[in-house]
Each structure stands twice: as C-alpha cells, then as structure tokens.
Amino acid sequence: MHAETHGSEGAGDDAGDEVLRLVTEALEQLEAGGDAALAAYVAGLSAHRAHVERRLAALRSAGLIGPTEPEPLGLPEVLGDFRLVEPLGSGGMGVVYRGVQLSLGREVAIKLVRPEQVHLPGARERFLREIQIIAKLGHEGIVRLYDSGEVRGVPWFAMELVHGASLADVLHAHLGRAPHELQGAEFIRLLPEGQRAHANEAFFAGSWVEVALRLVERAALALEEAHRIGVLHRDLKPSNIMYTASGRVVLLDFGLAWTAEMGRLTRSSAQLGTAHYMAPEQFEGSGRTYDERTDVYALGVVLRELVTLRSAFNGATLAAIARQVLDGRPAPFQRNVGERVPGLEVVIGVAMERDRARRYATARSFARDLRALVEGAPIAARPPSLTLRLRRIARRYRALSGGLAAAGALLAILPFLVAWRERELRLDLEAANVELAAEVRRADGNFGLAADALSRTLERVDREDLAGIPDLLGFSEGVLRDTDEVLSALMVSNPSDPSTRLRVAEALLTAGRVRWQYRDIERAQAAHRRVTALVDGCDADPERVDRVDLVARLGLVYLDRLDPRAAAAAYREARERVLAHGAIEGRTLELRGLFARALAREGAARVDLGEAEAFALLEAAQSQREALLTSQESVELRGELILTYDELARGLAGIGEHERAAQHERAAEAALGAALRLAPESAAERAELAELAMVLGSRARRKERWDEAIASFEGAASHWWWVVERRGTRLTGYRGWAHSEASRAECYLQRGERAQAIEIYKHTLEELAPLLSLWRNDAKSNVLVLGLRLGLGRILEGTPEDRQALREVLDAALVQVNWVRAQGLRGAVLADACCDVLRERAELELAEGRPLAALAELEGAEEHIASAMAQAAEEHVGLGDQATTVACVRAEALLQLARVDEACATLTALRRLPADLHARVPSLAAHASDPRLAAVWAKL
C-alpha cells in the first residue's frame, strides 16, 4: 500500500520523512490494536521495513513503547488554571486526562503530547497545529478549545470534556448483531449512567437505522463547517465522533487535520489515517487530490458500519484492506437493512464511491440525503448505471490475483460489454427497420458467447479455492453479487428467448452451488428454484434443458432436507421430467449419470421408508452405472457405484437378507480396489480417489484391521499431496491431506503406538502453520487446524510430564479462537470447535486445581455453544451434545468450590442427565448425602 521510495534511510530528506511516517503509523497501529496489530503492520511493509524495525526496537529498549494505557508523565499536578485528575485514554500522538478548570470548577479534557513522541521530529509541530485548527472552529459539532500551554517542554491544551458515548462504543457493544432487531433507544443505554435520564427521547425515537442516520447527519453538518473554513479532518472514524444525551454530535481529534495555510500535503503525512476509513486516494498517496470528498468517504464508511453493525472492510492485514478499498469492494451489504430503508444503500454507495468525482461533492449534500432518508423524501443520489456497474465488474476482475486467473475472468466480462453494445445497436437498427440480418445474427451470437463465458467463469469460482485472496468469503460474495447483476441484465435483454433463458439458468445453477459451499443455504435454494422456473417449458436444446433441470431438482431436494417420503416423490418427478423427452438409454453419458443418481437417491429414501420398491430402484441405478463404466472409466462413477452397493447392503441387512447384503459388500470392496488402481491426471479425480481411499481406511479401522487402515489412509494422503503439488493454492488439497494424516494417527493411537501418533500430529501442524495465514478468513480451515490441535491435545492428556505440552497446544488453539471471535467468522462447526477448545482448557484448569479459572473458560464455551446451535439450524448441520458436556464440567468446578446450589441448578437444567454422570462429575461422590442435590438424584 505504500508508495515506493528509493535509497537508504540516510540517503535524503524524502527517505527520512518516509521512515518517520511509517514509524508514526506503526505507533498508531500499536495503540489501536496492540502488539498483534503492530506486528501485522510491520510484516506488510516493503520498503524501509528494516529501518522501521530498528527505530521501534530503539523506542522499546528505551521504555517508550509499552502498555497502551497512559503512564504517569512526571508532570506537575496543576497546569496553569487546570488540575490533572485521571487518565482517560491515549491516541497515536496524544495522552488525554480528565481535569478540572480551577477558576470555574468545570470538568475538562487535557491533552498532552505522548512521551515517546515528544522528541520525534515534527511531533511538536503537529500538536501545535491541532491547537490552532480547533481554535479556528467555532461550531457546536466540534469540540471546544479552552486554553493551551507548555510545561517542561511538553505541549498541552485543555478542551471541552464531552459527556456522552462515542460511535466506537456503539459498535463495540453491538457489533455482529442484527440492526433490524434494535431500536434507537439502544443508543441511550450506552451513555454514562448519569446522562440517560436526561436523554432527548424524540431524537432517539424510532428504529436503530433512523437514529444512526440522524447522528451521522449532524456529524456531516459539523464536518461541513470545518470544510467551510478550509479544514480537512483526514482521520474521521467512530472513536472520533461522540454524541450526548441531548442528541448533540461532536467531532474530536484534529491531530491529522490539514488547512490551506499548510501548503501542499507532504509525503511524510500523505497516508496518515486509520486504514478502514481511508479513501482510495489516501492509499494511492496522491495528496494533491485530497479535498472535502476524502472526509465524506470516511463518514460514509462510519455510517455503513453503524447501520449494518459489520466492518465495511474485513481484510486481515493492512495490505488486504488497501486492496478492498482500491477495488471498491466492501463487505456485502445485508439485504434486510437496505430493504427497510429504501435508498439507504444508494446513499452509502455514493458517499463511498471508488471514483472521487462521483462522490458527494460536499458534506452538506451528504447530510441533505441523510435527512431525506429519515423523512422518507426523495434523495438526490442515484444508483450507478448498468454500464458503470459492468465497467466496475470488469475492473474488479482485472485486478484479481491468486487462486482465480484474472485473464479468465476478464475474458468473461469484456465480451459481455462488447456484446451488450452490439445488442443495443441491433435494437436500434430493428426499430429503424434497417435490413441488416447478418449484423443482427452476429450481435446475437456474440451476446450468447458472452453469457457462456460468464458461466465458465463461475465454474472456475466453483472449482478454485482462491487461497491467495485474503478476504475469501467477501470476494466470493462480491463475485456472486456481480453475477446477479449480469444475469438480470441478460434476462431484461430478451426474457422470452429460450437460448438466453437456458444460458442464464446454467450460470445460476453454478452460482447456487457456490453459495451452498459457503453455507448460504437460503440463497442457494432461491437460485435453484429460479433455474427450474427458467427451464420449465423451455424449448431450447432438450439435452441441456434436462441436464440443468435435473441437477437443479436434485440439489433442491438435498438443500431442503425433505423427509424420505417427500424426497422420494421429488426424485421421481425429476426422473419423469427427463423421460418425457425420450428413453434414457439414448441420451448423453452425463445425463444418464445424473439419472442414475436420481434413481439411487430415490431408492435410498424408499429404503428408509421400508418399501420393497427401493431395491428395484437401487439395482436399476447399479445397472446404469455399470453400463456407463463400460463406456467411460471415471473415479466419480466408481465412487457412486460403491455407494449404490453400500445402500443395497444396508437395505438388505435391514430386512434380514444377510447373504445378499454380504454379496453387495464384497462388490463394494472390489469396486473400491478397482478405483484405487487408477492414476488419473485430473486434480478433481485425484481428490475423489483420495476420498475413496479414506472410505476404505474407515472400513478397515471399524474392523480393527490396523495395517490395512493405515495403508489406506497413507494412500489417501499421497493422493491429496499429489493435488497439493500441482494445485498449491487449493485449500481442499491441504485439508484432505491433513484429515488423512489425522486418521492415520488415530489408527496408531488405537493400536497403542502413542509416540507415532504424536509425531504425525506434530508434523501435520508444522506443515500447515506457514499456510494458515492464507486461510485465516476461511471457516473450514480454522476448524481443521483447531481439530488437529485438539487431537494432539487429547493424546498428550493424562500424564503430568505431558501437561505442559498440553497447555502449549491449548494456548495456541486459544489464540486462534480469539482471532476467529474478533473477525466474526461464522459457521456452526467452527463455533463447535471453538467451544471444544475452551472446554478442554477448563478441564485442564480443573486438573491443576483452579476451578475459578475453569469457570472463566466455560463462559466463553457457553457463548460458542449458543452460536453453534443457532447456526446449525440455519446450515442444516448436526452437532454433538456440547451443552451437556460443558454443563458437567461446570458442575464439577462449582462442586470443587463448594457452590453446591449452583451445581445442582446447572445439572437439573439439562433436559436429560447422562448415564455416566458420576464419571463426568467426580465430586458428586463427596456430596452423595447432601440434600441440596436431591433433585439431581431424582432426575438421574
């Protein structure tokens, strides 16, 4: 993100200024996010990194970098007419104290230069400039200056102490919640206790979004006043905006402000600010282009975060945030927020325009539209045109790097742009009755090719893991949002054309599959339903129509998780629609394979219903797949045939026909062996082969054939590593390899070879450690690494000499859990894994005789349980009974603390007590005669 500079630190003033700027930014990152943020910032530097690290080390060794809370400065208690009372906080350059103005007896805020910065070149000048700027601003929305001075070489100034809350307090308290479930009165609850009773109820009346709009409108009017007299704030963010009980909004911290009298913006200050709220031009470092619209952008980001309660840019590093800002790619805007306030997303979009020329020209025009939103009046802002949206899509794809090839995506979009113009020309020509049939056909053909190219691009998004992109989930959502725009444009163009409908349906089908992969079940279902509606009665190519329709219907039944009877009926309907276009034997191999899948799934559903017809359906699917294998050898077909054999064996065993069931089991084993002898050159087929090897290993493990199981898991790992070596960006390759290794370790453990299992776990984690940074925003990868750490921890548990190693493993897992929580990553399985980590830590604390520490860990575990259960319902995921396990650990901790009543309440709150309760809660034995536990004994 930094502008390139040349030469060493001492090569000239420019280089020295650059190093000073970077050190200043580093200190601001330290203040904002602690040592982790500082380390991430320094790791993202390219030029001057060594110089910055050396200066930071010097500051640390001198004791000037330390705790983020302000330290005593060794200053006199009284500064002129003001007395210091207590520290309030600190920022990048200053320390703020609560104080009292002695002559008037009023509370004030007193700001002093930070001790580690007072001797840095330029620090004093910046501080004095802030005093001069605030003195010029006389507006109720800007903090008031009372006095200033200097003591022992340290400048200070006294200003108004605003009694209220900051917007950062609001976000901290409600981040991640659903805005549509909150009311404006929630803002009052965050005010200091003594102020709440005096709140302006009319101002805070209404919905959460309405009050947020009022607050930001007043901030925009205060900002307009600063701009009117030539001051740019340049560091607007939630912590620099406060509100009071009366509804007054106050802008704070003008330490990075700029005025016309200061002349041009120098390189040493060009990129100052807080990354999440910096405009694109600030990242580009072109200081001469800064103007009022730079501040409007930051205020737009603040508004977006306030009304969505989500970070606008969720990159894990400064470089990732910079890429998102420069691409104009914030996190997805929740639909339920925008739908409740029409025009809200448009207003925010104009305020946060990537192109400065399309942004609100003034803060006042922004404020006017915010007022219009509150009053339900028309807004001046207009959404971007279709042409502009398409240009942005093309630019966004052109900028991509990592897992998705930029060239492929660009080829998908640019032909569409060209074809769109040609189609518009065609319509104009037709309207004028110009006989240019050849031109019309050429334009239509190009338009169709563009649609096909878009579909192919989506298929690449479906296949690729995109590991090189830091914001994996945000990126995928952006691609899908762009896809929706383009597909809508296609349908508007010619809604009745069968070819267009089919092409749109094919692209939608892939988009739905991508959404399902990221657990967006509701929109995946909606995409599949749109597909079936588009192809219903479509008289385009019957083979393509049937393939798309069958895939969509198979997917819908799977996503809807229907009961067996409804599922069987749906699968039958899907098959009958295909047969309406002719017998299956003469159709394409792909369609025959899908038809066999529908047969097998219907058969499996009817097995669950106990219907005799189930076996005929499964045998028909078996025959179809065996016939297909004679025409086309395929790992996927082999795998589906094995599943059919297994389903037949399961159903036959259920009705007591064990000999026939055994025949199908042997057929499945033979099919597995035949599949594992294949050596395909396709990464997708290698992955399927690895999955089959895992199936074979699991079968052998169940039968305790350890050598065979270990060999199968080792084979699976080798197939996955083949994928990794040829497709190094694929997360699935690393995940599959790690799962195979973990399964192999479990076999060694069950066979009693504990040291071998530990070695495999450690080696696997070592291999994954350097790659984890690429996957931080991916829920599946976090689950994988947490699972490996927990697996290693369980092996280490049990002996005193291993306890320290166990603690180290769990400490590393806790760091990961805290990162997951801070990023707001979702996923039922991920929340369940985080709960596992905290519960294991609680059990370790109990083993070491620290029940209070155990209870503290369990509080976090219970939060993750609630999250996991809520998300499991949304995601159709089944989880274990974590609540019971955690409750038993909590009861044990409470009993060790002799808090018997609480332990009793914890256990009796469970729906059903486990049969091995005494083993799970050993301290119950010591309280067997305690009458307070009578309810527990009765329930047990």
Side-chain angles (χ1 to χ4, degrees), residues 625-858:
R625 283 167 172 164
E626 288 171 343
L628 286 169
L629 278 168
T630 63
S631 304
Q632 174 188 339
E633 181 62 73
S634 160
V635 177
E636 181 180 12
L637 275 173
R638 289 276 179 193
E640 291 190 340
L641 182 58
I642 292 163
L643 290 176
T644 307
Y645 288 139
D646 281 341
E647 202 62 54
L648 277 165
R650 179 177 73 91
L652 290 167
I655 60 173
E657 295 197 27
H658 298 292
E659 185 175 342
R660 289 179 63 196
Q663 290 175 357
H664 287 294
E665 284 182 359
R666 287 192 293 273
E669 296 279 354
L672 259 176
L676 294 175
R677 286 192 291 272
L678 300 173
E681 290 299 311
S682 154
E685 286 202 306
R686 281 280 184 164
E688 289 168 4
L689 205 55
E691 295 287 2
L692 290 178
M694 289 291 288
V695 170
L696 186 60
S698 298
R699 289 171 182 236
R701 183 169 59 184
R702 283 196 301 272
K703 297 174 182 178
E704 297 187 359
R705 301 202 301 253
W706 303 121
D707 288 338
E708 184 182 331
I710 289 169
S712 296
F713 291 135
E714 199 164 11
S718 68
H719 286 306
W720 281 122
W721 200 253
W722 187 96
V723 173
V724 167
E725 287 180 333
R726 285 158 182 77
R727 302 281 296 280
T729 61
R730 283 188 68 83
L731 293 180
T732 48
Y734 285 109
R735 288 193 198 114
W737 172 77
H739 281 305
S740 305
E741 289 293 88
S743 298
R744 188 162 67 97
E746 285 296 316
C747 288
Y748 279 115
L749 187 64
Q750 289 175 292
R751 198 162 71 171
E753 298 179 36
R754 185 169 173 271
Q756 184 69 26
I758 290 173
E759 189 62 33
I760 292 173
Y761 267 114
K762 286 183 176 178
H763 171 71
T764 306
L765 284 167
E766 285 170 6
E767 287 286 344
L768 296 179
L771 299 159
L772 184 59
S773 60
L774 293 176
W775 309 346
R776 296 298 293 273
N777 285 325
D778 180 53
K780 290 182 181 177
S781 301
N782 277 281
V783 170
L784 167 64
V785 177
L786 285 174
L788 288 169
R789 285 180 172 144
L790 285 170
L792 177 59
R794 290 180 186 124
I795 300 174
L796 293 171
E797 193 173 12
T799 59
E801 59 271 18
D802 289 334
R803 190 164 289 161
Q804 181 56 37
L806 172 60
R807 181 167 288 282
E808 289 173 4
V809 169
L810 292 179
D811 284 347
L814 180 64
V815 170
Q816 192 176 348
V817 167
N818 288 337
W819 191 92
V820 165
R821 180 183 293 171
Q823 297 301 308
L825 290 188
R826 286 179 55 81
V829 179
L830 179 57
D832 194 58
C834 291
C835 173
D836 260 336
V837 170
L838 295 169
R839 178 181 52 75
E840 293 268 359
R841 287 177 60 84
E843 290 177 353
L844 179 61
E845 297 293 357
L846 281 179
E848 295 182 347
R850 289 192 290 269
L852 282 174
L855 289 174
E857 299 286 0
L858 291 171

Side-chain angles (χ1 to χ4, degrees), residues 600-640:
R601 287 190 182 175
E602 183 184 347
R606 296 196 184 279
V607 165
D608 292 335
L609 293 169
E611 297 180 2
E613 184 188 1
F615 301 105
L617 290 167
L618 288 169
E619 286 166 354
Q622 173 191 325
S623 298
Q624 291 269 3
R625 283 167 172 164
E626 288 171 343
L628 286 169
L629 278 168
T630 63
S631 304
Q632 174 188 339
E633 181 62 73
S634 160
V635 177
E636 181 180 12
L637 275 173
R638 289 276 179 193
E640 291 190 340

Side-chain angles (χ1 to χ4, degrees), residues 171-193:
L171 292 173
H172 179 73
H174 295 293
L175 200 64
R177 296 187 65 182
H180 61 277
E181 296 175 356
L182 300 174
Q183 292 300 310
E186 293 288 336
F187 284 94
I188 298 175
R189 295 191 178 93
L190 294 172
L191 292 166
E193 189 173 351

